[in-house]
Amino acid sequence: MNSLWPIIVGGVLPAIFWGITAIFQKQSATATGSAVYLIAFGTACAFTGLIAALVWRPAPWSIEGLGFAATAGACFAFGTGLISFALFAYGVPVSKLAPSCNVRVTLAIGALYLGEASEINTVKLAAGTLLILLGALLVSSA
């Protein structure tokens, strides 16, 4: 049972929260647009980070860590802003944008940049990638 805990905490629960996020993002985009969404979203993230810092007692701050976090935040903000813009400007259904392949990008960068390729079963990775791409194509054409 202990081996499932990291999968639940780091995989299942985030997937649920991100799925719920997409629904509220669609509602916000149609009500306010992408700029207001990003401001409110960023404020909520900052508040959540403050609570996490009080509860988890994070490691000491470093310039390197702050730089990585700021880069991650900027990339996330651009991606989220573009999704919100597409929802607002083009009226795209969130169900067509949700089956993105961002996990594949993470795997590729993790394998190449972080040197995690030795920890990946390439046959399973290729099969999973193919299934995800086929599923994304199927859902986006629905």
Side-chain angles (χ1 to χ4, degrees):
M1 186 68 175
N2 286 341
S3 63
L4 288 178
W5 188 243
I7 300 298
I8 292 169
V9 171
V12 175
L13 291 175
I16 291 169
F17 285 124
W18 286 332
I20 294 168
T21 298
I23 301 305
F24 286 108
Q25 182 178 11
K26 168 74 176 194
Q27 291 176 312
S28 173
T30 57
T32 63
S34 56
V36 174
Y37 171 79
L38 284 173
I39 292 168
F41 187 85
T43 302
C45 286
F47 183 69
T48 303
L50 176 63
I51 292 171
L54 295 173
V55 173
W56 292 332
R57 309 272 188 220
W61 292 24
S62 71
I63 297 299
E64 181 183 35
L66 288 172
F68 288 142
T71 302
C75 290
F76 191 84
F78 280 116
T80 299
L82 290 171
I83 290 170
S84 187
F85 179 77
L87 292 169
F88 178 74
Y90 304 114
V92 179
V94 71
S95 57
K96 288 190 175 188
L97 293 178
S100 67
C101 296
N102 60 336
V103 172
R104 300 297 112 199
V105 173
T106 302
L107 278 173
I109 293 173
L112 299 174
Y113 178 70
L114 299 177
E116 297 175 348
S118 63
E119 300 174 27
I120 298 172
N121 181 323
T122 54
V123 173
K124 289 182 179 179
L125 177 64
T129 299
L130 181 62
L131 290 172
I132 288 173
L133 291 173
L134 290 173
L137 289 171
L138 182 63
V139 170
S140 66
S141 65

